[in-house]
Amino acid sequence: MSASSENQVSPFAACVECKCSALRRASRAVTQHYEAAFRGTGLRATQFTVLAALAQTGPLPLSALAAMLGLERTSLTRNLRPLEKKGLVASAANEDHRVRLIEITPAGERTALAALSAWQLAQATVDGVVEATLGQGVLDKMLHGGGHGDKGGKAGKRGAA
């Protein structure tokens, strides 16, 4: 590196404060926090989320469940496979054979209930994880209307598992 280039500011200097990167780091930290809480339950955090949603709603079309969870259909299908193999969810028949209904089974309800205390522990302690990665008060702002919401772009339609 030459002396003149050492004094120049990199055109990427502002990237240190990339909001996308910060949110991805926070998301990974939160996921790890929930996964640690779910150890020993036989469920992953994403699987619990699916079971909890179905326990509240009853059978839903695959596309409606994906939208509710903020997932793409392919991601949801991938998350459903192990739950179906364990007998925790099932596909139900519908009048319109093109629509696949997903429902929680009695075994799925028992499994979700057994894991509920793990979720409650993770939920009660996650603020510290978020604040450690994003700063004080950010989670409250996100949950209670401090954000800007979806502007209708394609990125707003995608979710993470």
Side-chain angles (χ1 to χ4, degrees), residues 27-83:
S27 177
R28 284 190 299 273
V30 167
T31 298
Q32 290 169 357
H33 177 76
Y34 278 82
E35 290 295 342
F38 279 106
R39 278 192 201 110
T41 67
L43 292 175
R44 310 266 331 229
T46 51
Q47 294 171 333
F48 177 81
T49 301
V50 170
L51 293 177
L54 290 171
Q56 295 174 68
T57 63
L60 286 175
L62 181 69
S63 56
L65 181 58
M68 174 188 218
L69 297 173
L71 296 171
E72 293 184 17
R73 286 177 50 123
T74 55
S75 296
L76 178 57
T77 299
R78 196 171 44 253
N79 285 316
L80 287 172
R81 277 190 209 118
L83 294 173

Side-chain angles (χ1 to χ4, degrees), residues 1 6 20 35 46-47 50 75 89 114 117-118 124 126 134 149 160:
M1 221 179 198
E6 287 178 15
C20 180
E35 290 295 342
T46 51
Q47 294 171 333
V50 170
S75 296
V89 298
S117 62
V126 73
L134 292 178

Side-chain angles (χ1 to χ4, degrees), residues 33-34 37 118-131 139:
H33 177 76
Y34 278 82
W119 175 85
Q120 290 168 330
L121 175 63
Q123 185 76 359
T125 57
V126 73
D127 289 7
V129 174
V130 174
E131 289 173 0
L139 186 59

